[in-house]
Amino acid sequence: MYIATPAPHRPATPAPQYESRFVGQVAPRSPSYNFDSKDKHWIISEGTPVMTKEVIGLVDELYEMRLETLLSVQDLLEAVVGALEKQKVLNNTYIFFNSDHGYHLGQFKQQGEKRQPYEEDIRVPLIVRGPGIKPNTTTQALALSIDMAPTFLDLAGWPLPEDMDGQSLKPILLGEEPAETNYQFLVEYFGAGTSPGVGCFYYGPYVPFLHDCVNNTFLSLRMHDSQNGDQIFSDFFSTDAVPMSQSDIYFREYYNITEDYWELHNAVASLTDKETEEFENTIWNFHMCTGSSCHKMRGKKNSRA
């Protein structure tokens, strides 16, 4: 069974019994909150103004309402678990709690959206319970959205098709140590822009929240390595048309997230030509791969990774 709630998606309208439950709660003020960064791609550096007091108030209101709608999600989750208990099948059922994307609420002046390659947008929760999974344990193993389908098939005892991009998480869930602790993977987004010069799209004159912009197509290589920590390298393209080519790249960003956790300062200038070329080649190979050829790349290392 698959359950996908609209909450806490915009407009994030709470149930009547939960209205005003979190009055006064404000969006987290991380170091990147309303940070005016001039060394990032054009949507951040030029396309998004610093948030005014009015917009900050709207962001905080959205954050409050998102929390309130999640109380209904909690009720739903409790009801599902209760129904499984009543049918005496809870101990023979796997439950996955997940999301499709992260969300920024004020980071780099971006009001309430999801379409950037920064940690707030690409990290999602993953909580799993079921037979053979030890309670109250965590793992640092890599888990991607594309891994969900092969994991479900594997847990159900079905053979895995070779053309699936993702890999089964079953061994990790059942307590095996990951074979590879260094990893890399692709993050990609294809912008909603269709006409050059349109600029940015907003949700409406009364809700001044940025939705998307032209030339917001990017490919990012996210990496983790025991020696150099967490890193991300991104290519931004001058077109939203697919397919893109490497000649369409107009801007790059690089962050060592272990050293610059909030990704405040673009360090792409610190890369050598060789390192940049290696990152580019890896990104493009990921972009073009399918099935098992993608699996082999997840554990490969670049000179900076």
Side-chain angles (χ1 to χ4, degrees), residues 10-235:
R10 193 190 308 274
T13 304
Q17 67 269 29
Y18 294 133
E19 286 182 0
S20 305
R21 181 66 64 90
F22 289 105
V23 168
Q25 292 289 328
V26 299
R29 274 25 177 197
S30 64
S32 60
Y33 183 84
N34 213 18
F35 184 74
D36 190 15
S37 179
K38 298 301 184 184
D39 60 5
K40 290 177 170 53
H41 65 106
W42 83 271
I43 295 174
I44 304 295
S45 62
E46 302 174 29
T48 312
V50 172
M51 294 190 298
T52 63
K53 183 178 180 180
E54 175 192 9
V55 173
I56 289 174
L58 291 171
V59 171
D60 288 339
E61 181 182 29
L62 176 61
Y63 178 70
E64 174 196 324
M65 295 170 67
R66 284 167 60 86
L67 292 177
E68 291 162 355
T69 64
L70 286 175
L71 292 175
S72 293
V73 175
Q74 179 172 292
D75 291 343
L76 172 63
L77 183 59
E78 290 178 355
V80 169
V81 171
L84 293 170
E85 264 187 320
K86 186 176 181 180
Q87 296 297 322
K88 302 187 184 327
V89 294
L90 178 62
N91 292 333
N92 194 36
T93 301
Y94 289 98
I95 300 176
F96 284 72
F97 185 86
N98 197 3
S99 184
D100 53 346
H101 55 76
Y103 207 70
H104 53 247
L105 286 159
Q107 285 72 34
F108 303 118
K109 309 170 295 181
Q110 302 279 287
Q111 301 94 2
E113 253 299 325
K114 58 193 177 185
R115 305 165 195 268
Q116 299 299 328
Y118 308 117
E119 291 289 277
E120 294 86 2
D121 290 23
I122 67 175
R123 299 291 291 265
V124 295
L126 177 60
I127 304 171
V128 187
R129 62 156 292 168
I133 299 178
K134 186 177 180 181
N136 301 314
T137 58
T138 60
T139 176
Q140 297 302 312
L142 173 64
L144 303 178
S145 297
I146 57 175
D147 296 333
M148 296 298 101
T151 299
F152 300 156
L153 288 175
D154 200 12
L155 288 171
W158 284 71
L160 302 183
E162 290 188 4
D163 61 351
M164 299 193 83
D165 291 345
Q167 298 175 251
S168 173
L169 302 175
K170 178 182 175 180
I172 303 300
L173 294 174
L174 299 184
E176 288 187 22
E177 291 295 323
E180 180 61 70
T181 56
N182 301 327
Y183 56 73
Q184 56 188 7
F185 59 90
L186 180 69
V187 179
E188 55 186 351
Y189 175 70
F190 303 97
T194 55
S195 302
V198 169
C200 295
F201 311 89
Y202 288 80
Y203 280 100
Y206 305 107
V207 186
F209 281 12
L210 186 67
H211 177 61
D212 201 0
C213 300
V214 297
N215 300 349
N216 190 31
T217 291
F218 57 81
L219 301 177
S220 300
L221 182 65
R222 179 67 166 81
M223 300 157 279
H224 173 80
D225 176 79
S226 56
Q227 181 177 350
N228 295 299
D230 290 281
Q231 305 163 83
I232 189 167
F233 177 91
S234 300
D235 283 333

Side-chain angles (χ1 to χ4, degrees), residues 246-260:
Q246 288 178 295
S247 63
D248 294 319
I249 299 169
Y250 82 95
F251 199 79
R252 297 184 176 96
E253 295 183 19
Y254 166 77
Y255 304 93
N256 185 314
I257 301 171
T258 302
E259 298 176 357
D260 181 11

